[in-house]
Amino acid sequence: MTSRILILDCGSQFTQLIARRVREAHVYCEIHPAGKSLQWIRDWKPTGIILSGGPSSVADEGAPTFERDILDVAPILGVCYGMQWIAHIEGARVLGGGRREYGKADAVVEDPTGVWKGFTPGEHTQVWMSHGDHVEDVPPGYVRTASSASNPLVGFRHKTKPIHAIQFHAEVAHTIRGADLIGNFLFEVCHATPDWTPDSFIDVEIAKIRALVGSSHVICGLSGGVDSSVAAALVHRAIGDQLTCIFVDTGLLRLNEREQVEKTMGQYLGIKLVTVRAEERFLSALAGKDNPEEKRKIIGHTFIDVFEEASAREGKDAEFLVQGTLYPDVIESFSPKGGPSATIKTHHNVGGLKPDMKFKLIEPLRELFKDEVRNVGRSLGLPEEMVGRHPFPGPGLAIRVLGAVSEPDLETLRKADAIYLEEIRAAGLYNDIWQAFAVFLPVRSVGVMGDGRTYEHVIALRAVTSRDGMTADWFAFPPEVLGRMSSRIINEVKGINRVVYDISSKPPATIEWE
């Protein structure tokens, strides 16, 4: 039987990173809300259970909780809030304040067994703390496994049962040996089998899609980007000619993108593709709108109207809509799994959809990160030129023209963006960058061209490195490359006399400007 790790979400922004680390170890896992019943958990038959972190205090009204007998269902790893809940239910004191810890900390290993196997007694290792409450003492029947200078209890385990707990986030990159800790839980404590791969993910999703769809017709909103292309290829493998892909030219695309998408999709996917020219419709709906949230929602609603009309024109009343939604879209759009994490912005394919749309959604990539999606695409046989593309937002250039959107500003941005990407490829840097794009700023600055004064627009350039889009650092271009980019944009794009480079990281900034 395939190993199955159940992750119960207590509201942490990092919960999906736990799933990511588990999947990187090739073990299947799913995230579910903390409120699942004990019987549901037993019926799920987990190989192991991970209780995530979260912002609540265990004594708070409405805080995530579990039935005590969950500790006897399968091996348990409690992370942060999960550790505090185990301590609380097992009779230890959990106190607020006093030993708050946020950021990097030095943990000292005291008991190198279980999740700490492979460490040495007294070993110091960097971990990432994020907690206001702390466990005052070890619960009866448990032993301490690790401590820190400011907190004498940052890890414990049961003396005889496979129950382990840590007060830090092993899933984040700042915990230097976090992968070892999670790997030890999977293989030393749970005795899991590492048999989950992109191929096995594809097999599972195909079975789900076929069971859901039956004989119904399905349409896919195809943008030509990585996410929608992989989603389309996966659904097409599951249901074949029941799928029709609809590519909407919103007027918000990059230079020559419609032609490139039509050529690439027809060549590699062999899927029926219908192109809808809707430039005037989108630009009319966006006229005068400068609020980024409003722009996103207008675009999302208009997308659905176009899909519904195109489906009717095709003579098949589609019941399902395929979208290439990824987890970063979900976590930034609303609190995941009912948790208390904050909404960052509404993605057009998540919170921006019409509440009364007629389609049921198929989102086979919803729990994956970008690099995982790329690996699935490779397993599906998609070419590297397709799966290796930088991310491009569903709302397109509408969120890269800051403020109100107009065709002249879009055309200016298209030309600047094309030059920028051309220079990145010429420098051999495209594959070193997670995402790169130009932004049209709604400001003018004074400049000098020839002997005359100019008062023209500003283009901002953005390029970041990232692993999964949840965090990002700005890319350090060689100065001479930035110089060529700036010179070409100013000389070749009418109406631009200044180019600036964005050196903000995420957080505190987001990758996109809107």
Side-chain angles (χ1 to χ4, degrees):
M1 179 180 176
T2 300
S3 298
R4 293 155 56 88
I5 300 299
L6 175 61
I7 302 170
L8 294 172
D9 181 18
C10 299
S12 172
Q13 290 272 6
F14 299 129
T15 299
Q16 185 67 16
L17 289 181
I18 301 176
R20 178 185 176 83
R21 302 299 173 246
V22 174
R23 291 197 296 259
E24 285 174 344
H26 303 298
V27 177
Y28 180 75
C29 65
E30 291 183 15
I31 298 173
H32 289 278
K36 289 294 186 181
S37 71
L38 181 64
Q39 188 58 52
W40 184 95
I41 293 169
R42 283 176 172 153
D43 291 343
W44 202 83
K45 294 182 171 56
T47 307
I49 300 171
I50 299 177
L51 309 180
S52 85
S56 301
S57 295
V58 292
D60 288 349
E61 183 178 354
T65 190
F66 313 91
E67 296 180 56
R68 164 65 181 76
D69 288 348
I70 191 177
L71 298 177
D72 297 319
V73 172
I76 294 275
L77 174 63
V79 178
C80 296
Y81 178 88
M83 170 177 168
Q84 294 166 12
W85 180 84
I86 293 172
H88 174 71
I89 205 70
E90 292 284 74
R93 291 187 299 166
V94 179
L95 303 179
R99 294 175 189 156
R100 296 159 56 93
E101 289 183 290
Y102 297 96
K104 297 175 183 177
D106 185 48
V108 181
V109 181
E110 299 186 14
D111 179 34
T113 61
V115 299
W116 295 98
K117 185 175 180 180
F119 292 76
T120 58
E123 178 179 343
H124 290 247
T125 185
Q126 178 182 295
V127 299
W128 185 261
M129 296 285 191
S130 181
H131 66 96
D133 297 352
H134 68 275
V135 180
E136 181 70 9
D137 46 28
V138 177
Y142 289 75
V143 297
R144 185 170 61 187
T145 56
S147 61
S148 72
S150 59
N151 194 334
L153 186 57
V154 298
F156 61 71
R157 66 170 177 84
H158 196 277
K159 292 178 180 178
T160 59
K161 297 179 181 179
I163 304 173
H164 296 258
I166 52 177
Q167 185 57 80
F168 54 87
H169 289 284
E171 66 273 20
V172 304
H174 298 297
T175 296
I176 300 301
R177 295 188 63 182
D180 293 335
L181 289 156
I182 292 175
N184 282 337
F185 176 69
L186 297 175
F187 304 120
E188 296 296 328
V189 179
C190 299
H191 306 293
T193 303
D195 56 6
W196 188 82
T197 63
D199 287 338
S200 65
F201 169 82
I202 290 168
D203 292 341
V204 169
E205 288 302 313
I206 284 175
K208 288 181 181 178
I209 292 165
R210 287 173 177 167
L212 175 66
V213 170
S215 60
S216 298
H217 188 62
V218 179
I219 59 173
C220 174
L222 189 66
S223 70
V226 178
D227 309 334
S228 65
S229 297
V230 173
L234 179 56
V235 174
H236 185 252
R237 180 169 292 188
I239 61 172
D241 291 342
Q242 291 171 246
L243 173 69
T244 298
C245 287
I246 298 176
F247 174 71
V248 179
D249 188 343
T250 62
L252 307 170
L253 303 175
R254 290 169 290 195
L255 192 67
N256 302 322
E257 187 147 23
R258 185 183 75 247
E259 294 81 2
Q260 293 171 3
V261 168
E262 290 174 334
K263 179 180 178 180
T264 304
M265 294 300 107
Q267 180 179 354
Y268 289 113
L269 292 183
I271 299 172
K272 181 180 180 182
L273 177 64
V274 175
T275 299
V276 179
R277 300 288 300 272
E279 300 99 310
E280 292 184 6
R281 185 167 179 174
F282 278 86
L283 291 178
S284 176
L286 289 167
K289 307 298 184 183
D290 59 5
N291 182 282
E293 279 292 284
E294 188 177 7
K295 288 196 291 185
R296 287 175 179 271
K297 290 181 178 179
I298 287 171
I299 292 166
H301 292 184
T302 307
F303 260 119
I304 296 304
D305 289 339
V306 171
F307 286 141
E308 289 177 346
E309 294 167 10
S311 175
R313 284 197 302 271
E314 288 300 303
K316 298 176 181 178
D317 196 14
E319 184 177 350
F320 295 93
L321 169 64
V322 177
Q323 292 197 139
T325 307
L326 305 192
Y327 186 73
D329 301 337
V330 176
I331 198 169
E332 287 189 339
S333 292
F334 50 72
S335 297
K337 308 293 188 298
S341 52
T343 297
I344 307 301
K345 56 189 174 184
T346 300
H347 287 258
H348 83 284
N349 55 343
V350 185
L353 295 176
K354 288 174 60 179
D356 59 344
M357 74 171 185
K358 71 172 187 175
F359 299 115
K360 300 174 185 176
L361 290 181
I362 298 176
E363 298 174 305
L365 312 177
R366 188 180 176 90
E367 295 294 332
L368 300 185
F369 287 93
K370 179 72 74 173
D371 59 334
E372 295 174 317
V373 171
R374 289 192 168 111
N375 287 334
V376 169
R378 293 181 181 107
S379 292
L380 288 167
L382 299 183
E384 194 62 32
E385 67 186 73
M386 184 182 294
V387 298
R389 291 187 72 188
H390 288 181
F392 185 65
L397 299 182
I399 60 170
R400 294 178 180 172
V401 172
L402 303 195
V405 179
S406 70
E407 179 54 39
D409 293 346
L410 286 168
E411 189 60 26
T412 298
L413 178 59
R414 284 191 192 99
K415 293 176 180 177
D417 189 71
I419 292 170
Y420 181 37
L421 295 179
E422 183 179 310
E423 287 295 327
I424 288 174
R425 288 190 172 95
L429 298 174
Y430 188 84
N431 292 332
D432 296 333
I433 297 170
W434 168 269
Q435 189 173 6
F437 55 90
V439 180
F440 182 91
L441 303 186
V443 295
R444 294 176 183 267
S445 71
V446 174
V448 177
M449 289 187 178
D451 295 323
R453 175 186 184 275
T454 63
Y455 187 57
E456 295 179 333
H457 284 102
V458 180
I459 287 289
L461 304 180
R462 178 79 157 141
V464 298
T465 59
S466 181
R467 184 177 183 183
D468 47 39
M470 297 298 291
T471 60
D473 290 322
W474 58 277
F475 182 78
F477 281 111
E480 63 273 15
V481 175
L482 278 175
R484 284 198 302 270
M485 294 168 175
S486 176
S487 178
R488 282 197 61 194
I489 290 171
I490 291 172
N491 286 325
E492 297 177 32
V493 182
K494 185 178 179 180
I496 299 298
N497 69 355
R498 191 178 299 271
V499 174
V500 297
Y501 186 57
D502 181 354
I503 59 169
S504 307
S505 295
K506 176 187 179 181
T510 55
I511 295 177
E512 297 285 349
W513 280 45
E514 283 196 353

